[in-house]
Amino acid sequence: MTPSKLTQIIGLVGLLFTLQGCVTAKVDEMTYNPPEAGVGASSVVLLGRRHASNYDTERDFVQCVRNHIQGKDDSIDIVEEAQFLDALYPWFEPRTAPMHPGAIRELLAQPAVARKIQALDTQYMIWIDGNTERTDASGSMTCGVGPTGAGCFGFGTWSDESNYEAVIWDFSNQAEVGRINTSTSGQSYMPAVVVPIPIIAPVQGTACDGIGEQLLQFLSAKY
Amino acid sequence: MGLTTIDKQVSSLRAAVLALCLFLLSACGANQVIVESQFPQPTLEPIPVTLGVYFSEEFKTHTFVDDPENDTERSWVVETGTAQVNLWQNILNAMFAKVVYLDQPPSTDAPTSQVQAVLIPTISDLQYAIPAHTNTKVFELWLKYELALTNNTGQPIADWVMTAYGKTPDAFMQSNQDAVGAAAIVALRDAGANFAVNYPKVPAVNAWIQDSTATTSPLEDTR
């Protein structure tokens, strides 16, 4: 095999690996009273809702939104979800978490909780509710191993759908100050002729970027 | 003397047969889950009461065994005893000013004068569900407790039932045992949260707390 042919093959394989499936995304945003100078030295906490019986907001999605915001403005102090839940155990467990901003007042009436919240200096609490699920899958693929090597043949396709809502609560006013919705969907493909080539639609990643960008604009003085 | 080609092939064959036997045997064993976890320090204002707690031997070594209905399934053994004791000690030490752990239940023959009341938790049921059972992508675990509050001679003050629930999503590269263990930890956290937040809603318990806190101060710590 000539070097030019080898380069072409490597290039083709590289191109196939970087291919992504198409994603359709929609983001709706409604916020009030964003902090003009950003959140400053106060902290923000991002929490996933996990009270529904049929789904949990994924921890890695909450982490992704956190990384998106801090990746673009590292001056925003976002308390890690697990750290906040442990610090305020048992008040933010799925069974006991406040479902409306008015419940914050009842929580702060307890001196131990008020002290912890004050120590964390939390200004905004952002609840993320939703999940990503596979809505359809079809196709088939066969893989085999023989004396001369291994390989797969076939074609698979599947579609994913994400629906997330972020609700922003202002701790000092004990009021809701914003709501951001994102819906994304996309189709992924996996053709296989000897080697399976995944063409993945980044459905959850697009939803994360959509919510993260809107929250960044709300929280950051730079955007 | 070196091995001949035939010897080497026989050795390889033996190794392959041994590996196959081990693989097949591993499928015969039970799914064993030992739930071990450290729980966060609860953020609670302690009630000025001295509470006795009796953990029975059955409670301290609680093990759930589920034998399969057919030969194709493996049985499940879920050991929660150590984690139960950790959780309840953690939550009760934060909830009450003084907690005394008793070696035997209170009775008229052996009254426990150093405490104002005795809590006796019992696990009456544990159920689990894995994706193979329900066709959902979550592992779930339910716990049912029977809680008895007695005076220091064993006379009942209150008896009530409390449930706890935990679930964890089906995760890539996570074994069924790990997932059931994770669901059990969520269920135990839920048990702690449920007890800490909802125990005053049991009328007889509420009345006892009102009486105890109004008339007495916590007794000397005899732990």
Side-chain angles (χ1 to χ4, degrees):
Chain A
M1 190 181 290
T2 61
S4 64
K5 264 197 169 174
L6 189 67
T7 313
Q8 279 177 355
I9 290 169
I10 292 170
L12 185 65
V13 171
L15 178 70
L16 288 170
F17 271 99
T18 54
L19 280 176
Q20 287 191 337
C22 293
V23 178
T24 309
K26 189 176 85 175
V27 181
D28 291 327
E29 182 222 7
M30 186 173 61
T31 54
Y32 324 98
N33 304 327
E36 294 300 328
V39 288
S42 301
S43 69
V44 175
V45 62
L46 284 171
L47 298 168
R49 284 281 187 204
R50 300 199 176 86
H51 62 278
S53 60
N54 57 338
Y55 70 88
D56 269 357
T57 305
E58 302 92 344
R59 288 182 193 277
D60 58 351
F61 183 81
V62 177
Q63 185 64 35
C64 172
V65 175
R66 180 174 184 261
N67 291 345
H68 183 96
I69 297 168
Q70 288 200 315
K72 294 198 171 181
D73 187 347
D74 60 4
S75 68
I76 301 173
D77 178 15
I78 304 178
V79 182
E80 201 154 333
E81 184 182 25
Q83 184 198 337
F84 186 88
L85 295 178
D86 283 355
L88 284 148
Y89 180 75
W91 301 106
F92 287 84
E93 298 298 295
R95 180 189 294 272
T96 55
M99 298 302 291
H100 55 90
I104 298 171
R105 192 172 293 117
E106 293 163 29
L107 270 179
L108 294 177
Q110 302 187 51
V113 176
R115 279 195 299 274
K116 279 274 172 71
I117 296 278
Q118 197 174 16
L120 289 167
D121 194 13
T122 305
Q123 174 69 28
Y124 292 104
M125 175 175 283
I126 300 167
W127 288 100
I128 299 179
D129 190 6
N131 74 331
T132 299
E133 58 184 357
R134 184 139 306 162
T135 51
D136 188 27
S138 60
S140 67
M141 193 176 296
T142 310
C143 295
V145 184
T148 53
C152 295
F153 185 79
F155 180 78
T157 180
W158 63 93
S159 47
D160 292 324
E161 201 171 292
S162 287
N163 284 293
Y164 292 97
E165 182 176 58
V167 180
I168 309 167
W169 290 357
D170 183 341
F171 243 79
S172 49
N173 297 322
Q174 289 148 27
E176 182 182 318
V177 291
R179 202 170 267 256
I180 298 160
N181 288 285
T182 180
S183 304
T184 58
S185 59
Q187 188 86 20
S188 301
Y189 306 93
M190 176 114 67
V193 181
V194 183
V195 179
I197 298 158
I199 303 169
I200 307 288
V203 175
Q204 196 184 49
T206 305
C208 166
D209 291 345
I211 277 198
E213 201 59 32
Q214 297 301 317
L215 288 175
L216 183 72
Q217 285 177 20
F218 179 84
L219 297 169
S220 175
K222 297 180 192 169
Y223 287 84
Chain B
M1 199 170 76
L3 291 172
T4 64
T5 309
I6 292 174
D7 286 340
K8 282 179 184 170
Q9 284 177 343
V10 170
S11 296
S12 304
L13 190 64
R14 276 186 189 152
V17 169
L18 184 66
L20 183 65
C21 287
L22 287 171
F23 174 75
L24 291 173
L25 280 172
S26 71
C28 302
N31 290 296
Q32 186 153 20
V33 181
I34 301 172
V35 183
E36 285 178 359
S37 179
Q38 294 300 314
F39 297 95
Q41 177 66 27
T43 300
L44 297 164
E45 287 297 321
I47 303 159
V49 163
T50 300
L51 182 77
V53 180
Y54 174 68
F55 296 133
S56 67
E57 207 51 42
E58 190 187 353
F59 184 88
K60 286 193 272 191
T61 59
H62 177 259
T63 303
F64 168 79
V65 180
D66 184 33
D67 289 323
E69 288 176 2
N70 55 53
D71 294 342
T72 57
E73 291 179 14
R74 294 165 68 187
S75 60
W76 280 85
V77 177
V78 184
E79 294 180 30
T80 73
T82 308
Q84 295 281 357
V85 172
N86 281 347
L87 169 87
W88 284 91
Q89 285 185 338
N90 189 45
I91 204 94
L92 294 170
N93 289 346
M95 281 177 69
F96 296 93
K98 289 172 185 167
V99 182
V100 180
Y101 294 95
L102 307 173
D103 295 329
Q104 56 186 17
S107 64
T108 45
D109 297 336
T112 50
S113 57
Q114 73 270 40
V115 299
Q116 289 165 270
V118 179
L119 179 74
I120 306 170
T122 312
I123 302 161
S124 59
D125 199 7
L126 185 153
Q127 292 179 20
Y128 73 98
I130 59 174
H133 297 163
T134 58
N135 287 329
T136 58
K137 290 186 175 180
V138 290
F139 292 82
E140 298 169 290
L141 197 133
W142 294 265
L143 285 162
K144 186 176 171 188
Y145 294 90
E146 282 175 12
L147 300 161
L149 189 71
T150 71
N151 67 12
N152 56 12
T153 59
Q155 299 304 307
I157 297 172
D159 290 290
W160 72 106
V161 171
M162 189 188 86
T163 57
Y165 170 72
K167 68 175 187 289
T168 189
D170 184 4
F172 181 62
M173 296 294 283
Q174 187 182 32
S175 70
N176 283 2
Q177 288 95 325
D178 289 345
V180 169
I185 290 165
V186 178
L188 286 166
R189 281 182 73 121
D190 184 50
N194 195 358
F195 183 77
V197 174
N198 291 326
Y199 77 94
K201 294 177 186 166
V202 179
V205 176
N206 193 15
W208 168 74
I209 289 171
Q210 300 297 331
D211 284 353
S212 302
T213 52
T215 56
T216 57
S217 61
L219 301 170
E220 285 299 310
D221 189 0
T222 52
R223 264 182 286 175

